[in-house]
């Protein structure tokens, strides 16, 4: 499987590209690249995004804006709490195997409501809501518990960091595909987005 991965930016080059784009966004000099008809026509023949980015569905975290990217640049997976289930792992596998993506970013963000719900759930003694939100809470709960073991101060924000790091670990060790791609240069990078400054920190 591995030999057929298409050529793409290295993880280091991809990280630099995202860092540069985020800096433009933060500094108010975004270029909004790759948004014209010419790009659409070019992409209709096929895509070669240079990074996969898993982040929250939160309306304040629009990936192409935050990293100043355009059509065909980034393979984006958004779900509340930036968790990874089988469908998401399959999406990450697809991008790395068939599109050659070498950088996978898992990005949590400040004031994440999904992580906040998981913190509240544990505070309330773990009462299920009976809604599908329970699936999100169950996925995030181990990160909150790990953050709790490190202390109670600023638990929601520390849980957000922990969740991004743990989901990155989950992807990095995922069998049968992703665990084997590390040796081929695929890097899984946790990150944190600050809603107010617009800045992305690599964790
Ligand atoms: Zn969120």
């Amino acid at each position: 499987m591995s030999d057929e991965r298409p050529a793409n930016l290295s993880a280091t080059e991809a990280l630099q590209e995202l860092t540069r784009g985020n800096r433009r966004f933060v500094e108010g000099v975004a270029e909004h690249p790759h948004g014209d008809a010419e790009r659409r026509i070019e992409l209709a023949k096929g895509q070669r995004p240079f990074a996969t980015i898993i982040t929250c569905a939160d309306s304040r975290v629009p990936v192409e804006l935050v990293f100043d990217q355009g059509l065909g640049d980034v393979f984006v997976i958004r779900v509340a709490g930036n968790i990874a289930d089988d469908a998401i792992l399959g999406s990450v596998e697809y991008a790395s195997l068939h599109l050659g993506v070498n950088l996978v970013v898992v990005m949590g963000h400040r004031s994440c409501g999904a992580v906040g719900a998981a913190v509240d759930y544990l505070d309330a003694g773990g009462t299920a809501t009976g809604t599908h939100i329970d699936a999100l809470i169950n996925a995030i709960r181990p990160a909150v518990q790990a953050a709790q073991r490190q202390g109670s101060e600023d638990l929601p924000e520390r849980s957000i960091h922990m969740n991004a790091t743990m989901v990155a670990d989950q992807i990095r060790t995922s069998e049968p595909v992703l665990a084997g791609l590390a040796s081929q240069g695929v890097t899984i990078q946790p990150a944190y987005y600050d809603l107010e400054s617009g800045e992305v920190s690599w964790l």
Side-chain angles (χ1 to χ4, degrees):
M1 69 181 177
S2 43
D3 296 340
E4 296 156 22
R5 293 180 66 233
N8 207 322
L9 292 192
S10 71
T12 303
E13 290 165 338
L15 205 61
Q16 286 167 348
E17 181 59 36
L18 291 179
T19 302
R20 282 193 292 267
N22 179 243
R23 194 170 304 139
R24 292 194 299 272
F25 172 69
V26 168
E27 292 172 357
V29 291
E31 293 167 0
H32 306 293
H34 300 155
D36 58 9
E38 194 184 350
R39 180 70 165 177
R40 288 201 304 273
I41 291 161
E42 178 195 329
L43 285 170
K45 297 176 212 136
Q47 61 168 331
R48 189 63 53 84
F50 67 84
T52 294
I53 301 172
I54 302 166
T55 194
C56 189
D58 192 300
S59 64
R60 299 166 294 181
V61 193
V63 172
E64 282 84 352
L65 289 175
V66 165
F67 290 108
D68 195 25
Q69 301 297 321
L71 296 171
D73 291 329
V74 279
F75 192 88
V76 179
I77 303 164
R78 290 180 66 179
V79 58
N82 39 269
I83 58 161
D85 62 10
D86 283 346
I88 289 160
L89 291 171
S91 303
V92 176
E93 287 177 1
Y94 174 79
S96 281
L97 281 181
H98 299 290
L99 307 176
V101 168
N102 289 311
L103 177 67
V104 179
V105 174
V106 181
M107 189 168 76
H109 68 95
R110 182 170 158 184
S111 306
C112 181
V115 175
V119 171
D120 293 345
Y121 166 90
L122 287 167
D123 278 349
T127 311
T129 66
T131 68
H132 288 91
I133 294 171
D134 288 340
L136 299 172
I137 289 172
N138 288 335
I140 298 166
R141 191 172 49 186
V144 179
Q145 288 167 328
Q148 264 176 337
R149 287 193 288 274
Q150 295 179 347
S152 56
E153 203 181 321
D154 206 13
L155 183 62
E157 284 303 303
R158 285 190 302 103
S159 298
I160 290 163
H161 281 73
M162 184 66 79
N163 185 51
T165 301
M166 286 176 68
V167 172
D169 289 344
Q170 183 189 350
I171 293 168
R172 195 178 294 116
T173 55
S174 169
E175 297 286 353
V177 172
L178 295 163
L181 290 180
S183 61
Q184 294 176 48
V186 174
T187 296
I188 319 295
Q189 175 67 56
Y192 176 85
Y193 174 64
D194 187 303
L195 295 179
E196 198 170 322
S197 70
E199 208 160 331
V200 173
S201 328
W202 307 118
L203 303 180

